[in-house]
Amino acid sequence: MTILLFFPIVGSITKKDPMLKKRDDFEDMLEERRNSSDLRYALKCYTPVLYKGLTPCKVSELKQMVLQSDQLGYVITQVSKEKGVTSDEVTGEAAAILEEMAQRLQLSTVRFFAFTLSKVFKTLFRSICINEEGLQRLQQAIHNHPVVLLPSHRSYMDFLLMSYILYTYDLALPVIAAGMDFMGMKVVGEMLRMSGAFFIRRSFGGDKLYWAVFSEYVKIMLKNGYAPVEFFLEGTRSRTAKSLTPKLGLLNIVMDPFLKGEVFDISLVPVSISYERTLEEALYARELLGVPKPKESTSGLFKARKILSEDYGSIHVYFGQPVSVRSLAESRVNRSQFNLIPRHIPTRPSEEILSFVNDSAYRLVRAQEENMVLKPWVLLAFVLLQKQAAEEKQGTALDELTEQAVWLRDLSRQYGAFLHWPDHIPPSEVVSSSLSLHRGLVRISEGRVQLALEQETRGAITPEEELLNKAVVILSCASYRNQALNVFIRPALLASAIHTAASNRKQEIYNSFSFLRNMFSNEFILCPGATVQDFEEACYLLVKTGTLQINQQEVLITERGHRTLAFLTSVLDPFLQGYQVREMHTQRHSVVFNTNGLTEKQFIPAVRKFIIKHLLTGSLLKCRLRYTEVLSSDLQKNALAALIRLGAVQKIKGYVGFTHLHVHVGLIG
Amino acid sequence: MSGFSDNIMRLSGRMLSQYPAQRDWDGKLTMAPHPGIIPTFSIVTLSDNVPEQEIMKWNGWGYSDSKFLYNKKGQAEFTGKRYRLSGMIIPGLREWMESTFSANLQHKTPAAPILNSSAVQPPTLNEAFLKELKSTGIPFSHDAEDRVFRSHGHCLHEIFALREGKIGRVPDLVVWPNCHNDVVKIVELACKHNVCLIPYGGGTSVSSALECPPEETRSIVSLDTSQMNRILWIDEKNLTAHVEAGIVGQDLERLLNESGYCTGHEPDSMEFSSLGGWVATRASGMKKNIYGNIEDLVVHIKMVTPRGVIEKSCQGPRMSTGPDVHHFIMGSEGTLGVVTEVTMKIRPMPEYQKYGSVVFPNFEMGVACLREVARQRCAPASIRLMDNEQFKFGHALKPQVSSIFTSFLDGLKKFYITKFKGFDPNRLCVATLLFEGDREKVLQHEKQVYDIAAKFGGLAAGEDNGQRGYMLTFVIAYLRDLGMDYYVIGESFETSMPWDRVLDICRNVKARIVRECKDKGVQFPPLSTCRVTQTYDAGACVYFYFAFNYRGLSDPVHVYEQVEHAAREEILANGGSLSHHHGVGKLRKEWMRESISSVGMGMLKSVKDYVDPNNIFGNRNLL
């Protein structure tokens, strides 16, 4: 099969220029909070527009509806037969699950939060900017169809912030799927419950009853238009600021009522929340380095009080265009497949449905990514990390940093980034004010800037601790750089493909592109099966910006294209190295332990140890480890998943073993 | 039932006195059982060849003398003498039309008044066939009017084109066989001379079944069965009647009534549709709950095919002789042959008939009630549930009330339902009921149904409302012609589905229609409404009505067709059937394979190939 048949001459692609992407303007919602009474605001008249088909019902009625639903009834009968207990007992069990799960949304709690959060937000943030047009669209959507809110997840703040915004703008308050870990915090857990959170266990694998209660609960709230349903597609907070591969369970559940004809349509609203400075910045980095995540506890939250004294810049919240499930499914899903089985009998979704939900999920995460606001600091993080990797010990001159940032600003804009770079201010000022907001991560001395790797230390520390301390800064910084990776990922894959391909023949470059893309599909949001589109997109961008010329057969680099290509190639470098290390480690182990292998859980720490050893002792490997980032457990997990997926590593009953050696090692040279 | 609602029933019952001719005080029938039609019209003389077309509109529904119009005062009026509504002023119709469609009496789109014969293509005649046909003495005609009249059914696009004077491919010849043997001769000649035959009954098709395939190059002969309209015998011992298939519904009922019998088969088109057409399309009647659908009513069928005559050797009530060959005939839509004679079940005329109606707070409750009625298998002869829009529409069609007293009562009822019972006038909906049988049982049955209704919040709303609901059935087709005079086009279509999907399909299809209209550039919100018209053990039949004001559209019929297409897709995606009783014709052919599977198509195809290898019955319906 020749791929060339699939894409025409790249120049003729009628893709919309990402630079022309129309985005709404922002309004700062904190401004009014600073100028008027918080108390009056918290007690204001709240009369949101509701779903036109709503039959109002109380929280308790909702539970009754779930317990009396045909869906749950079916599963209860099934479970009672299987376990040999009476259906009353199973019903009791279901009621208990529901009790544990259910939200108890009440306005007074929301008002309480509205008051306190106003105080907190005003202290922490300079501004909270919202696209009000997006809110108008959301209001319309809520009126017309059941709505699912899909915010990005970078902070604990996210869901409180969402409800806060919706309350402020007089929009229907959502019910929010939250992980059970919150429930550990007694008071806060209940408070969250009363502000609309419902709690789900992190894993309930084969528990049919739990699944039935949970899915029916969500569906009933959604179908009846009780409230918008909110959940995080990524499943958990992204510690790296890269979007996580979407989880499909809940999306599957909320799409089901449409697919089965129970509602005319459902609106999915992606929401992009971008923090100029993440509250959990260093916390995430430590977590990625293996300091285990502290269990959520109320007292822990209060310890976070010191956070309150810092400046976290601004937050941008962009409510994206509502996506109609109906239009997503049009000419994709044959809905009549549900005609022959009563709809209350749970069935495993078909391959067709699974792939549809998966593609939709990727689309929605991309929609989130596209509307994430990038601050100048994100671009500075790119430059500083690259310099650090190049081991420029004395740092970068401010002028040079500014020049590079401006160059990157223009490039990223051409690629469609949603960059908030204040053009009316001289670039040097933009740079210095960004640096000052993130002063914890950078050191400026004598007009030169570098990452603040040499932290003051109290007492003697081991080399290993020192390394980890450095890594914390680097990973923190990387989490900002990562915010813009989605802008560059496709061109970067193409640049690396050009770099590694043996010739400039288009077919060959496409093959390396496809290999790299496949390898990194756990790392970045790359929709399965969209290799050709991604390749086209990358080609389009690089041709448009004058980096490449592409004719029928060949891909040629232009004179001025080299700088861009060099930059783009370097974007992927830390990841390539991470995957390479992983592979070497696995290979080594298969030699050392022979057939025994390692369990998956042992694997990450083992790899970490291996890397630390090599970072400390210098180059044991053929190529040097330049990137401290490879210590990130996220990278390692993704790499392992990729190796397993590519068949280089096999998982046998929880053990990991190396199967065959043939991987494109040449790519990474 | 509360005392209040009981009162209302009795009060509204007394209002019937407006129509003393229809019914005596105990409700005993004195006339034909269906409400709309006063059967004084005698069928066309059988001796000459002047068919019904002279008293029928050539480019609209029904009788030439009956139509809606706006009189000089701008009031809506229904002309003629045939219907209960005839000669009456309908005060609410104008406002309803103006507000529902944003229609305006200033903006007229009149139809071409007479058929321009020169627009009709000259006939392609098969001379050899014609010569032999002449020798048989069977009447025929190639007059343009005769041919055009039989070239269409009543799909919107067909009528719209006629109103604009546009004529497409029409039959080249019309023949009027007088009996079974005439048909045998015609079919033989058609086979011999390779002529395409299209059977024509009442011409009420709404599936493009009568359209001549434009690609047909042979001479097309329309075989009009209207002269085969006799009841050949009535067998009172077995309660069957042997009838020629060209007989029209209302004539069949009237003639049987004269002997004290009826078939009870009353499709909405029964004024014009024929027995043969019912068989060929698997028709369904309003009162199927008592009498059954056509497949339950038929005992014996005789059909002439190119292979010869097919019929069973006896009239046993049920047989185990392989797949029932009747089921190849029923629903064959004129693709296999001509049904000439049918033996049907008959019943003694019902002693007593009573209409009724129930108001529900919303459509959901109404459907739940119908479902319960079906579960208890106590459905009256007819039970139909109109949604809110249709309830309003029905209201708009109320004729001018003659006395202050009745209008006062109407006001009182409205007050009671909306204010006292708290029904939202924009959500409530109405079920219409028809009970039939002996008096005692009807009253008992009535109570049972009203008791069930009460459990679903239903309030009895009187006989009058019920009766008017059924009357609407007969005049609604006339209303489309009125709409078409003022830029409003529309149509109805039906489906059937399991009970658990009724609400979902109603909601989704109505919403889909609205959305498609918007997407296709329709400037005004459409009327998109439905009603549940039949109940079964395992499901129901639902009718959708859809109409819109097409001002500002360059190709309104195309837009209409796109929307109807989308609506059908929606029905199928939600688990509804391709058709409950209208049939497939050419309009819904594209969905046949997915409806009955490839193997199913193969089965039907092989029957067609065997019975009619040269495609003499070439209307190209169904497959």
mmCIF file of all heavy atoms in Angstrom, chain B residues 511-546:
data_model
loop_
_atom_site.group_PDB
_atom_site.id
_atom_site.type_symbol
_atom_site.label_atom_id
_atom_site.label_comp_id
_atom_site.label_asym_id
_atom_site.label_seq_id
_atom_site.Cartn_x
_atom_site.Cartn_y
_atom_site.Cartn_z
ATOM 1 N N ALA B 511 -38.226 16.594 16.856
ATOM 2 C CA ALA B 511 -37.079 17.504 16.991
ATOM 3 C C ALA B 511 -36.225 17.481 15.725
ATOM 4 O O ALA B 511 -35.719 18.512 15.283
ATOM 5 C CB ALA B 511 -36.244 17.121 18.204
ATOM 6 N N ARG B 512 -36.091 16.303 15.150
ATOM 7 C CA ARG B 512 -35.279 16.189 13.935
ATOM 8 C C ARG B 512 -35.899 17.012 12.806
ATOM 9 O O ARG B 512 -35.207 17.694 12.054
ATOM 10 C CB ARG B 512 -35.164 14.719 13.532
ATOM 11 C CG ARG B 512 -34.374 14.441 12.260
ATOM 12 C CD ARG B 512 -32.881 14.542 12.503
ATOM 13 N NE ARG B 512 -32.107 14.334 11.292
ATOM 14 C CZ ARG B 512 -31.534 13.179 10.959
ATOM 15 N NH1 ARG B 512 -31.649 12.135 11.758
ATOM 16 N NH2 ARG B 512 -30.838 13.069 9.850
ATOM 17 N N ILE B 513 -37.220 16.952 12.708
ATOM 18 C CA ILE B 513 -37.913 17.711 11.667
ATOM 19 C C ILE B 513 -37.635 19.206 11.845
ATOM 20 O O ILE B 513 -37.273 19.903 10.894
ATOM 21 C CB ILE B 513 -39.430 17.424 11.719
ATOM 22 C CG1 ILE B 513 -39.699 16.014 11.195
ATOM 23 C CG2 ILE B 513 -40.215 18.454 10.925
ATOM 24 C CD1 ILE B 513 -41.121 15.530 11.397
ATOM 25 N N VAL B 514 -37.774 19.666 13.061
ATOM 26 C CA VAL B 514 -37.559 21.091 13.329
ATOM 27 C C VAL B 514 -36.128 21.474 12.960
ATOM 28 O O VAL B 514 -35.866 22.473 12.301
ATOM 29 C CB VAL B 514 -37.842 21.409 14.814
ATOM 30 C CG1 VAL B 514 -37.447 22.844 15.133
ATOM 31 C CG2 VAL B 514 -39.314 21.179 15.132
ATOM 32 N N ARG B 515 -35.202 20.622 13.387
ATOM 33 C CA ARG B 515 -33.805 20.935 13.139
ATOM 34 C C ARG B 515 -33.464 20.893 11.652
ATOM 35 O O ARG B 515 -32.765 21.763 11.140
ATOM 36 C CB ARG B 515 -32.952 19.926 13.904
ATOM 37 C CG ARG B 515 -31.516 19.991 13.533
ATOM 38 C CD ARG B 515 -30.619 19.923 14.729
ATOM 39 N NE ARG B 515 -29.396 19.262 14.333
ATOM 40 C CZ ARG B 515 -28.555 18.724 15.175
ATOM 41 N NH1 ARG B 515 -28.819 18.740 16.465
ATOM 42 N NH2 ARG B 515 -27.451 18.161 14.758
ATOM 43 N N GLU B 516 -33.976 19.887 10.953
ATOM 44 C CA GLU B 516 -33.677 19.785 9.526
ATOM 45 C C GLU B 516 -34.247 20.986 8.771
ATOM 46 O O GLU B 516 -33.615 21.507 7.859
ATOM 47 C CB GLU B 516 -34.254 18.485 8.941
ATOM 48 C CG GLU B 516 -33.560 17.223 9.438
ATOM 49 C CD GLU B 516 -32.153 17.040 8.872
ATOM 50 O OE1 GLU B 516 -31.871 17.545 7.770
ATOM 51 O OE2 GLU B 516 -31.326 16.395 9.548
ATOM 52 N N CYS B 517 -35.453 21.410 9.155
ATOM 53 C CA CYS B 517 -36.052 22.571 8.493
ATOM 54 C C CYS B 517 -35.137 23.774 8.646
ATOM 55 O O CYS B 517 -34.889 24.515 7.696
ATOM 56 C CB CYS B 517 -37.424 22.891 9.086
ATOM 57 S SG CYS B 517 -38.709 21.831 8.440
ATOM 58 N N LYS B 518 -34.652 23.946 9.852
ATOM 59 C CA LYS B 518 -33.764 25.079 10.115
ATOM 60 C C LYS B 518 -32.502 24.969 9.251
ATOM 61 O O LYS B 518 -32.102 25.907 8.583
ATOM 62 C CB LYS B 518 -33.394 25.062 11.602
ATOM 63 C CG LYS B 518 -32.972 26.409 12.136
ATOM 64 C CD LYS B 518 -32.803 26.340 13.640
ATOM 65 C CE LYS B 518 -31.884 27.448 14.114
ATOM 66 N NZ LYS B 518 -31.320 27.159 15.429
ATOM 67 N N ASP B 519 -31.925 23.768 9.265
ATOM 68 C CA ASP B 519 -30.700 23.555 8.493
ATOM 69 C C ASP B 519 -30.918 23.763 6.998
ATOM 70 O O ASP B 519 -30.008 24.172 6.285
ATOM 71 C CB ASP B 519 -30.165 22.129 8.715
ATOM 72 C CG ASP B 519 -29.604 21.952 10.115
ATOM 73 O OD1 ASP B 519 -29.523 22.967 10.846
ATOM 74 O OD2 ASP B 519 -29.260 20.817 10.475
ATOM 75 N N LYS B 520 -32.115 23.438 6.523
ATOM 76 C CA LYS B 520 -32.360 23.507 5.083
ATOM 77 C C LYS B 520 -32.859 24.888 4.661
ATOM 78 O O LYS B 520 -33.292 25.069 3.538
ATOM 79 C CB LYS B 520 -33.376 22.440 4.665
ATOM 80 C CG LYS B 520 -32.978 21.010 4.999
ATOM 81 C CD LYS B 520 -31.912 20.488 4.060
ATOM 82 C CE LYS B 520 -31.488 19.065 4.381
ATOM 83 N NZ LYS B 520 -30.856 18.879 5.682
ATOM 84 N N GLY B 521 -32.860 25.801 5.599
ATOM 85 C CA GLY B 521 -33.178 27.180 5.230
ATOM 86 C C GLY B 521 -34.649 27.543 5.272
ATOM 87 O O GLY B 521 -35.040 28.583 4.747
ATOM 88 N N VAL B 522 -35.485 26.687 5.879
ATOM 89 C CA VAL B 522 -36.896 27.054 6.018
ATOM 90 C C VAL B 522 -36.974 28.272 6.950
ATOM 91 O O VAL B 522 -36.377 28.281 8.018
ATOM 92 C CB VAL B 522 -37.720 25.873 6.586
ATOM 93 C CG1 VAL B 522 -39.155 26.290 6.839
ATOM 94 C CG2 VAL B 522 -37.660 24.686 5.635
ATOM 95 N N GLN B 523 -37.705 29.297 6.500
ATOM 96 C CA GLN B 523 -37.665 30.579 7.198
ATOM 97 C C GLN B 523 -38.519 30.626 8.464
ATOM 98 O O GLN B 523 -38.321 31.460 9.315
ATOM 99 C CB GLN B 523 -38.156 31.690 6.263
ATOM 100 C CG GLN B 523 -37.444 31.732 4.927
ATOM 101 C CD GLN B 523 -36.069 32.348 5.044
ATOM 102 O OE1 GLN B 523 -35.903 33.401 5.642
ATOM 103 N NE2 GLN B 523 -35.073 31.668 4.522
ATOM 104 N N PHE B 524 -39.511 29.745 8.529
ATOM 105 C CA PHE B 524 -40.439 29.799 9.651
ATOM 106 C C PHE B 524 -40.432 28.462 10.380
ATOM 107 O O PHE B 524 -40.219 27.423 9.756
ATOM 108 C CB PHE B 524 -41.851 30.105 9.143
ATOM 109 C CG PHE B 524 -41.910 31.300 8.239
ATOM 110 C CD1 PHE B 524 -41.802 31.150 6.861
ATOM 111 C CD2 PHE B 524 -42.046 32.573 8.768
ATOM 112 C CE1 PHE B 524 -41.837 32.250 6.018
ATOM 113 C CE2 PHE B 524 -42.089 33.688 7.934
ATOM 114 C CZ PHE B 524 -41.986 33.532 6.552
ATOM 115 N N PRO B 525 -40.679 28.476 11.676
ATOM 116 C CA PRO B 525 -40.700 27.194 12.384
ATOM 117 C C PRO B 525 -41.794 26.288 11.822
ATOM 118 O O PRO B 525 -42.897 26.763 11.540
ATOM 119 C CB PRO B 525 -41.022 27.572 13.836
ATOM 120 C CG PRO B 525 -41.016 29.051 13.901
ATOM 121 C CD PRO B 525 -40.960 29.618 12.536
ATOM 122 N N PRO B 526 -41.500 25.024 11.607
ATOM 123 C CA PRO B 526 -42.490 24.129 11.012
ATOM 124 C C PRO B 526 -43.493 23.624 12.053
ATOM 125 O O PRO B 526 -43.252 23.738 13.251
ATOM 126 C CB PRO B 526 -41.641 22.973 10.509
ATOM 127 C CG PRO B 526 -40.508 22.915 11.478
ATOM 128 C CD PRO B 526 -40.237 24.336 11.904
ATOM 129 N N LEU B 527 -44.588 23.076 11.553
ATOM 130 C CA LEU B 527 -45.484 22.311 12.412
ATOM 131 C C LEU B 527 -44.958 20.884 12.408
ATOM 132 O O LEU B 527 -44.760 20.290 11.351
ATOM 133 C CB LEU B 527 -46.907 22.346 11.853
ATOM 134 C CG LEU B 527 -47.913 21.434 12.564
ATOM 135 C CD1 LEU B 527 -48.256 21.989 13.934
ATOM 136 C CD2 LEU B 527 -49.183 21.274 11.732
ATOM 137 N N SER B 528 -44.696 20.367 13.582
ATOM 138 C CA SER B 528 -44.129 19.022 13.674
ATOM 139 C C SER B 528 -44.852 18.336 14.820
ATOM 140 O O SER B 528 -44.615 18.644 15.977
ATOM 141 C CB SER B 528 -42.633 19.142 13.941
ATOM 142 O OG SER B 528 -42.063 17.904 14.219
ATOM 143 N N THR B 529 -45.768 17.479 14.468
ATOM 144 C CA THR B 529 -46.644 16.938 15.503
ATOM 145 C C THR B 529 -46.923 15.462 15.246
ATOM 146 O O THR B 529 -46.664 14.960 14.160
ATOM 147 C CB THR B 529 -47.965 17.760 15.579
ATOM 148 O OG1 THR B 529 -49.048 16.890 15.845
ATOM 149 C CG2 THR B 529 -48.250 18.450 14.266
ATOM 150 N N CYS B 530 -47.408 14.787 16.262
ATOM 151 C CA CYS B 530 -47.632 13.363 16.067
ATOM 152 C C CYS B 530 -48.832 12.875 16.845
ATOM 153 O O CYS B 530 -49.342 13.566 17.731
ATOM 154 C CB CYS B 530 -46.395 12.571 16.480
ATOM 155 S SG CYS B 530 -46.130 12.546 18.244
ATOM 156 N N ARG B 531 -49.258 11.688 16.516
ATOM 157 C CA ARG B 531 -50.254 11.035 17.342
ATOM 158 C C ARG B 531 -50.072 9.530 17.291
ATOM 159 O O ARG B 531 -49.601 8.971 16.298
ATOM 160 C CB ARG B 531 -51.663 11.435 16.943
ATOM 161 C CG ARG B 531 -52.101 10.955 15.592
ATOM 162 C CD ARG B 531 -53.502 11.494 15.358
ATOM 163 N NE ARG B 531 -54.106 10.932 14.179
ATOM 164 C CZ ARG B 531 -55.107 11.522 13.537
ATOM 165 N NH1 ARG B 531 -55.587 12.670 13.960
ATOM 166 N NH2 ARG B 531 -55.629 10.959 12.485
ATOM 167 N N VAL B 532 -50.437 8.911 18.382
ATOM 168 C CA VAL B 532 -50.404 7.459 18.443
ATOM 169 C C VAL B 532 -51.762 7.000 17.949
ATOM 170 O O VAL B 532 -52.789 7.388 18.506
ATOM 171 C CB VAL B 532 -50.173 6.973 19.885
ATOM 172 C CG1 VAL B 532 -50.073 5.461 19.932
ATOM 173 C CG2 VAL B 532 -48.927 7.613 20.461
ATOM 174 N N THR B 533 -51.788 6.203 16.874
ATOM 175 C CA THR B 533 -53.090 5.887 16.291
ATOM 176 C C THR B 533 -53.538 4.445 16.492
ATOM 177 O O THR B 533 -54.703 4.142 16.322
ATOM 178 C CB THR B 533 -53.094 6.154 14.775
ATOM 179 O OG1 THR B 533 -52.104 5.325 14.181
ATOM 180 C CG2 THR B 533 -52.790 7.598 14.481
ATOM 181 N N GLN B 534 -52.619 3.571 16.799
ATOM 182 C CA GLN B 534 -53.001 2.184 17.036
ATOM 183 C C GLN B 534 -52.198 1.627 18.195
ATOM 184 O O GLN B 534 -51.045 1.993 18.375
ATOM 185 C CB GLN B 534 -52.709 1.311 15.801
ATOM 186 C CG GLN B 534 -53.591 1.569 14.601
ATOM 187 C CD GLN B 534 -55.036 1.135 14.801
ATOM 188 O OE1 GLN B 534 -55.457 0.758 15.893
ATOM 189 N NE2 GLN B 534 -55.817 1.215 13.739
ATOM 190 N N THR B 535 -52.821 0.744 18.934
ATOM 191 C CA THR B 535 -52.083 0.069 19.990
ATOM 192 C C THR B 535 -52.082 -1.432 19.712
ATOM 193 O O THR B 535 -53.045 -1.968 19.171
ATOM 194 C CB THR B 535 -52.730 0.293 21.363
ATOM 195 O OG1 THR B 535 -54.035 -0.294 21.353
ATOM 196 C CG2 THR B 535 -52.841 1.764 21.685
ATOM 197 N N TYR B 536 -50.982 -2.061 20.037
ATOM 198 C CA TYR B 536 -50.854 -3.511 19.900
ATOM 199 C C TYR B 536 -50.328 -4.059 21.216
ATOM 200 O O TYR B 536 -49.902 -3.306 22.091
ATOM 201 C CB TYR B 536 -49.862 -3.854 18.778
ATOM 202 C CG TYR B 536 -50.350 -3.513 17.397
ATOM 203 C CD1 TYR B 536 -50.141 -2.241 16.869
ATOM 204 C CD2 TYR B 536 -51.014 -4.448 16.615
ATOM 205 C CE1 TYR B 536 -50.591 -1.914 15.597
ATOM 206 C CE2 TYR B 536 -51.460 -4.133 15.337
ATOM 207 C CZ TYR B 536 -51.248 -2.854 14.841
ATOM 208 O OH TYR B 536 -51.692 -2.534 13.581
ATOM 209 N N ASP B 537 -50.305 -5.381 21.318
ATOM 210 C CA ASP B 537 -49.729 -6.001 22.508
ATOM 211 C C ASP B 537 -48.300 -5.520 22.720
ATOM 212 O O ASP B 537 -47.895 -5.229 23.834
ATOM 213 C CB ASP B 537 -49.701 -7.536 22.347
ATOM 214 C CG ASP B 537 -51.089 -8.136 22.499
ATOM 215 O OD1 ASP B 537 -52.011 -7.389 22.892
ATOM 216 O OD2 ASP B 537 -51.242 -9.334 22.212
ATOM 217 N N ALA B 538 -47.541 -5.477 21.640
ATOM 218 C CA ALA B 538 -46.102 -5.243 21.786
ATOM 219 C C ALA B 538 -45.639 -3.890 21.271
ATOM 220 O O ALA B 538 -44.446 -3.650 21.177
ATOM 221 C CB ALA B 538 -45.328 -6.356 21.064
ATOM 222 N N GLY B 539 -46.572 -3.023 20.927
ATOM 223 C CA GLY B 539 -46.116 -1.740 20.415
ATOM 224 C C GLY B 539 -47.258 -0.886 19.917
ATOM 225 O O GLY B 539 -48.422 -1.146 20.219
ATOM 226 N N ALA B 540 -46.919 0.134 19.165
ATOM 227 C CA ALA B 540 -47.937 1.085 18.721
ATOM 228 C C ALA B 540 -47.594 1.604 17.338
ATOM 229 O O ALA B 540 -46.481 1.424 16.854
ATOM 230 C CB ALA B 540 -48.018 2.256 19.698
ATOM 231 N N CYS B 541 -48.589 2.238 16.732
ATOM 232 C CA CYS B 541 -48.395 2.902 15.447
ATOM 233 C C CYS B 541 -48.466 4.403 15.689
ATOM 234 O O CYS B 541 -49.342 4.881 16.398
ATOM 235 C CB CYS B 541 -49.475 2.471 14.471
ATOM 236 S SG CYS B 541 -49.568 3.483 12.984
ATOM 237 N N VAL B 542 -47.520 5.121 15.143
ATOM 238 C CA VAL B 542 -47.486 6.574 15.334
ATOM 239 C C VAL B 542 -47.503 7.268 13.980
ATOM 240 O O VAL B 542 -46.841 6.839 13.040
ATOM 241 C CB VAL B 542 -46.221 6.994 16.129
ATOM 242 C CG1 VAL B 542 -46.064 8.506 16.121
ATOM 243 C CG2 VAL B 542 -46.290 6.481 17.553
ATOM 244 N N TYR B 543 -48.294 8.320 13.902
ATOM 245 C CA TYR B 543 -48.389 9.169 12.723
ATOM 246 C C TYR B 543 -47.700 10.485 13.008
ATOM 247 O O TYR B 543 -47.926 11.073 14.058
ATOM 248 C CB TYR B 543 -49.875 9.492 12.505
ATOM 249 C CG TYR B 543 -50.460 8.927 11.252
ATOM 250 C CD1 TYR B 543 -50.938 7.624 11.221
ATOM 251 C CD2 TYR B 543 -50.575 9.700 10.107
ATOM 252 C CE1 TYR B 543 -51.498 7.104 10.074
ATOM 253 C CE2 TYR B 543 -51.137 9.182 8.957
ATOM 254 C CZ TYR B 543 -51.596 7.883 8.935
ATOM 255 O OH TYR B 543 -52.142 7.376 7.808
ATOM 256 N N PHE B 544 -46.913 10.936 12.070
ATOM 257 C CA PHE B 544 -46.334 12.273 12.197
ATOM 258 C C PHE B 544 -46.954 13.189 11.164
ATOM 259 O O PHE B 544 -47.199 12.767 10.031
ATOM 260 C CB PHE B 544 -44.813 12.230 11.986
ATOM 261 C CG PHE B 544 -44.095 11.514 13.077
ATOM 262 C CD1 PHE B 544 -43.787 10.167 12.960
ATOM 263 C CD2 PHE B 544 -43.744 12.180 14.231
ATOM 264 C CE1 PHE B 544 -43.145 9.499 13.979
ATOM 265 C CE2 PHE B 544 -43.094 11.523 15.254
ATOM 266 C CZ PHE B 544 -42.808 10.174 15.132
ATOM 267 N N TYR B 545 -47.220 14.405 11.559
ATOM 268 C CA TYR B 545 -47.682 15.414 10.609
ATOM 269 C C TYR B 545 -46.630 16.500 10.587
ATOM 270 O O TYR B 545 -46.135 16.918 11.630
ATOM 271 C CB TYR B 545 -49.008 16.022 11.055
ATOM 272 C CG TYR B 545 -50.146 15.034 11.000
ATOM 273 C CD1 TYR B 545 -50.358 14.141 12.029
ATOM 274 C CD2 TYR B 545 -51.001 15.021 9.905
ATOM 275 C CE1 TYR B 545 -51.392 13.233 11.976
ATOM 276 C CE2 TYR B 545 -52.045 14.118 9.850
ATOM 277 C CZ TYR B 545 -52.243 13.217 10.886
ATOM 278 O OH TYR B 545 -53.255 12.328 10.833
ATOM 279 N N PHE B 546 -46.325 16.921 9.394
ATOM 280 C CA PHE B 546 -45.233 17.866 9.265
ATOM 281 C C PHE B 546 -45.585 18.840 8.151
ATOM 282 O O PHE B 546 -45.971 18.427 7.063
ATOM 283 C CB PHE B 546 -43.958 17.071 8.990
ATOM 284 C CG PHE B 546 -42.929 17.780 8.178
ATOM 285 C CD1 PHE B 546 -42.525 19.055 8.521
ATOM 286 C CD2 PHE B 546 -42.345 17.161 7.083
ATOM 287 C CE1 PHE B 546 -41.575 19.711 7.767
ATOM 288 C CE2 PHE B 546 -41.389 17.806 6.333
ATOM 289 C CZ PHE B 546 -41.011 19.086 6.671
#
